[in-house]
Amino acid sequence: GEWRGTPGRATAVAHPNIALVKYWGKRDEKLVLPRTDSLSMTLDIFPTTTTVRLAPRAGQDTVTFNGRPATGEALRRIVAFLDLVRDRAGSSERAVVDTENTVPTGAGLASSASGFAALAAAAAAAYGLGLDATELSRLARRGSGSASRSVFGGFAVWHAGSGTPEEADLGSYAEPVPAAARDLDPALVIAVVDAGPKAVSSREAMRRTVDTSPLFEPWAVSSKDDLTQMRAALLAGDLEAVGEIAERNALGMHATMLAARPAVRYLAPATLRVLDSVLQLRRDGLLAYVTMDAGPNVKVLCRRVDVERVAAVVRGAAAGGAVHIARPGPGTRLLNA
Ligand code: 2P0
């Protein structure tokens, strides 16, 4: 496969992605099998670069994150992921992992998607697994669900998989979605309204939503239609429809959390101010739609030609928070392979 590098050492680069039809809820925690299909756009900003080197004489894995040793839960998740790769490679060699993440600290953007996509590609190559892109996506999924989508550039759909857990494991991977990219020509304005750590992890929030929210099943059902319509909108190059579907799917996802017991609420007062500013942009005749993930920050989908105008309005509403501009970006790749 294309993901075979120099055994012993490999470096990979991956970018974050933003879901337009969300992944929210698992059917299997260990295998990271989602309850629904999801669809995303990979971004061209904030890459993660990860190098994995095998360390034959080491007694344990060493993980460095932006120059600092990883500890606690972050380290545990990476070591568990390396164990999975070692198991497949029939290897017991430990590794040295070096990760450089360019997402500004506290930007409130998930780094687990780019992080585990880059780690999966680098580790698979370093341990000599010859994976194709589908196999890499399936592997990255085990680190973090959304990482399965960052393997691909542009738009990607992540299939939930079906049947027994073993069958669903095989069927649950991402692949590129055909889109009329030239007609769509989208941009994303990211408004950081709160850079603090989140009160509830997305893992815990998903679990609580699936277990207790009476709105979860209806959202999961309507998400199927959202996905079908999203695929058609992308194929047709209809950015207005893409935005409409993405916005209702994201608001619906937050509604499932608000109805959980106890409620999970990521939306903050500043989030709603940005939502109001986007409504005003629409009244003024611009194409602008929002999506929000497991946090208070807002991503505004708009036309590339409008991005400066949208960013100016959003910057005003975000009241001092940073604003970043992104476009569709590339998939995960190995360096010097
Ligand atoms: C998404 N999110 O589709 C959704 C929407 C957040 C809201 O994927 O437990 O870090 O590692 O599989 O991928 C964030 O969750 O969760 C996420 P795990 P992940 O982008």
Side-chain angles (χ1 to χ4, degrees):
E2 73 184 278
W3 297 95
R4 193 190 301 278
T6 313
R9 184 200 170 98
T11 299
V13 183
H15 288 77
N17 71 76
I18 296 296
L20 303 175
V21 176
K22 302 294 186 187
Y23 150 48
W24 196 250
K26 295 180 180 67
R27 65 168 271 196
D28 187 309
E29 295 248 352
K30 180 174 168 283
L31 293 172
V32 194
L33 295 173
R35 292 285 298 256
T36 59
D37 298 346
S38 57
L39 189 152
S40 62
M41 184 174 95
T42 299
L43 308 185
D44 64 343
I45 58 172
F46 304 148
T48 298
T49 305
T50 295
T51 298
V52 175
R53 278 181 289 128
L54 302 197
R57 278 173 296 280
Q60 59 184 27
D61 296 312
T62 307
V63 180
T64 309
F65 188 85
N66 286 354
R68 293 192 178 166
T71 57
E73 175 66 8
L75 176 64
R76 192 200 61 73
R77 268 176 80 173
I78 290 170
V79 171
F81 187 81
L82 292 171
D83 285 339
L84 186 65
V85 173
R86 280 189 281 264
D87 189 50
R88 295 191 188 175
S91 168
S92 58
E93 286 182 43
R94 302 294 113 176
V96 176
V97 177
D98 241 301
T99 288
E100 290 297 326
N101 200 322
T102 62
V103 180
T105 355
L109 293 171
S111 55
S112 68
S114 56
F116 278 101
L119 178 64
Y127 280 94
L129 300 178
L131 303 185
D132 62 25
T134 301
E135 292 165 327
L136 180 66
S137 174
R138 204 185 276 129
L139 175 65
R141 187 196 85 222
R142 296 290 295 272
S144 190
S146 52
S148 66
R149 299 184 310 234
S150 274
V151 167
F152 302 98
F155 299 95
V157 62
W158 169 24
H159 304 291
S162 60
T164 65
E166 292 72 26
E167 289 165 346
D169 179 29
L170 278 176
S172 188
Y173 55 84
E175 63 184 347
V177 172
R182 208 183 309 243
D183 293 332
L184 287 169
D185 208 18
L188 200 69
V189 175
I190 300 168
V192 180
V193 303
D194 182 350
K198 62 180 73 162
V200 186
S201 75
S202 57
R203 282 206 167 175
E204 163 59 20
M206 281 187 203
R207 202 178 290 137
R208 198 187 297 174
T209 305
V210 171
D211 290 348
T212 72
S213 176
L215 299 190
F216 180 74
E217 280 306 329
W219 174 79
V221 169
S222 66
S223 198
K224 275 190 204 297
D225 289 334
D226 289 346
L227 191 91
T228 304
Q229 292 175 35
M230 182 62 80
R231 279 176 172 280
L234 289 172
L235 206 54
D238 184 348
L239 191 62
E240 179 111 52
V242 168
E244 251 179 55
I245 299 160
E247 186 172 294
R248 76 182 185 219
N249 184 270
L251 290 171
M253 177 187 75
H254 283 275
T256 70
M257 298 181 217
L258 289 168
R261 297 160 191 185
V264 179
R265 182 174 63 87
Y266 290 119
L267 311 180
T271 310
L272 301 183
R273 284 196 286 275
V274 175
L275 264 53
D276 276 347
S277 77
V278 169
L279 277 184
Q280 189 58 49
L281 281 167
R282 287 216 287 268
R283 279 188 219 108
D284 293 344
L286 270 80
L287 189 161
Y289 291 93
V290 301
T291 184
M292 289 88 65
D293 295 297
N297 301 320
V298 185
K299 293 94 181 183
V300 185
L301 188 73
C302 65
R303 291 199 168 94
R304 182 160 65 139
V305 291
D306 295 333
V307 75
E308 292 304 334
R309 224 177 123 191
V310 170
V313 168
V314 163
R315 197 174 281 117
V323 169
H324 306 284
I325 293 174
R327 306 208 59 239
T332 303
R333 68 195 170 94
L334 284 173
L335 296 184
N336 317 316

